[in-house]
Amino acid sequence: MSRPVPNPGILEIAPYTPGKSPVPEPGRKVFKLSANETPLGPSPKAIAAYKNAADHLEDYPEGTSRVLREAISRAFGLDPDRIICGAGSDEILNLLAKTFLGHGDEAISTTHGFLVYPIATMACGAINVVAPEKDFTADVDAILARVSPRTKLVWLANPNNPTGTYIPFDEVKRLRASLPEHVLLVLDAAYSDYVSRNDYEIGIELVATTENTVMTHTFSKIHGLAALRIGWMFGPANIVDAVNRIRGPFNVSTPAMLAAVAAIEDTAHIQMSKAHTEKWRNWLTDEVTKLGFKVTPSVANFILIHFPQEKGKTAADADAFLTKRGLVLRGLPNYGLPHALRLTIGTEEANRLVVDGLRDFTAHK
């Protein structure tokens, strides 16, 4: 019996596996620290805007996300005509791959880069080329060494998930200047709102001054709108025009659009979220390090904790131990990091409980 056959390469793609969701048990409080969600939730103004949109659910959204593009343009000082909005930045990453990658082309990502990159690449019949990292950080020279005549696109998460590391803007500019002009550089800035480093830039300047660079961003992290799936891209006019030709006409819902407008305009809530993250990221890094674990320095809203390979002390053992206490972290074997756990910065209560749990784990026989 014959049946439809997927395109070549599709069944070779490892599906994306999100952080596990906790299963509540009677009498046990559970903290989900596996998905880099903000513990403070979205702006109350965003929630109100979302609820107000419920009166008009019979109407199609405005097809270009105009009000959201204009709100983003005000917040970042951008031309709204050079902004595209999507159902999460994931959709935009896939649209970029569809637009610029074909069978046999190559796209470069880094060893521990976001898992959507190889999925988007391989779904187009292109080849995912992996550039090794240095100290869990993207290495510009390693990326450049893997450029070939078939290279069409380079994915760079800056900061990177799940490592929390970043490369300075001078290095990003060096990468762009050294890549062939026909190669698209995609700067994924999902975690940029959490960075407070003088040598870091989100990438707007590079996008504004080149015709082969785009920057993507999301409302899922600091804005706390992960359930609504909203992302955006700033790019050159030629790239925006090309991507818009295959973008679905109503790809951002009206409630999501209006909630995102309210979220980006509530700068007080954004600053509160950033301050909370910085305070507890520093505290967790110090406290977990004191317990004898290596922590990769992070500029995002999570930290990467490394565990020994000794039986009973592994990352998997720690994950199981903490999960029994209602503390759900992210195991990372699918990211090539089987000996590490990613811990999202949570509430003060959750953060302190994780440190207590790790302390007990180290003493556990």
Side-chain angles (χ1 to χ4, degrees), residues 134-342:
K134 186 180 294 182
D135 297 326
F136 303 102
T137 306
D139 182 342
V140 169
D141 291 322
I143 293 171
L144 293 173
R146 277 149 187 82
V147 173
S148 81
R150 296 198 292 182
T151 305
K152 295 290 181 63
L153 189 151
V154 171
W155 307 103
L156 180 66
N158 200 33
N160 186 55
N161 169 37
T163 60
T165 57
Y166 78 104
I167 62 173
F169 191 48
D170 283 349
E171 281 292 276
V172 177
K173 288 192 289 187
R174 182 169 75 87
L175 173 61
R176 174 66 275 171
S178 302
L179 287 170
E181 291 185 355
H182 72 274
V183 173
L184 176 64
L185 175 60
V186 180
L187 302 176
D188 181 349
Y191 295 91
S192 59
D193 298 297
Y194 298 106
V195 186
S196 297
R197 299 290 179 91
N198 292 334
D199 59 353
Y200 176 83
E201 293 288 344
I202 190 172
I204 287 171
E205 172 196 322
L206 203 54
V207 176
T209 56
T210 66
E211 293 188 334
N212 47 18
T213 311
V214 298
M215 183 270 291
T216 65
H217 208 345
T218 181
F219 281 87
S220 296
K221 304 308 173 187
I222 205 164
H223 298 295
L225 298 179
L228 298 187
R229 311 310 304 128
I230 325 163
W232 58 277
M233 177 189 89
F234 175 54
N238 58 301
I239 292 178
V240 168
D241 173 65
V243 174
N244 266 330
R245 292 169 185 268
I246 63 168
R247 177 184 60 81
F250 307 112
N251 61 330
V252 179
S253 73
T254 300
M257 201 185 306
L258 297 179
V261 170
I264 204 169
E265 291 178 347
D266 191 348
T267 55
H269 188 81
I270 295 169
Q271 289 305 315
M272 178 177 67
S273 298
K274 182 174 182 177
H276 174 91
T277 298
E278 288 188 344
K279 173 184 176 180
W280 290 102
R281 182 179 64 211
N282 293 338
W283 183 84
L284 281 165
T285 300
D286 291 343
E287 294 299 316
V288 173
T289 301
K290 287 176 187 175
L291 295 175
F293 299 104
K294 179 186 174 186
V295 177
T296 297
S298 172
V299 296
N301 68 332
F302 57 86
I303 61 172
L304 186 66
I305 307 170
H306 301 268
F307 291 81
Q309 298 180 41
E310 176 187 348
K311 186 176 180 181
K313 301 295 182 183
T314 66
D317 295 325
D319 193 21
F321 185 90
L322 293 171
T323 298
K324 287 180 180 178
R325 294 191 171 201
L327 302 166
V328 182
L329 279 61
R330 178 72 185 266
L332 300 167
N334 54 339
Y335 273 99
L337 293 164
H339 309 301
L341 296 176
R342 190 188 67 194

Side-chain angles (χ1 to χ4, degrees), residues 30 69 130 138 173 180 224 265 315:
V30 175
R69 288 186 295 108
V130 179
K173 288 192 289 187
E265 291 178 347

Side-chain angles (χ1 to χ4, degrees), residues 37 66 83 109 122 165 265 272 335 351 360:
E37 299 153 339
R66 178 182 54 80
I83 297 170
S109 59
M122 296 171 69
T165 57
E265 291 178 347
M272 178 177 67
Y335 273 99
N351 298 334
D360 291 346

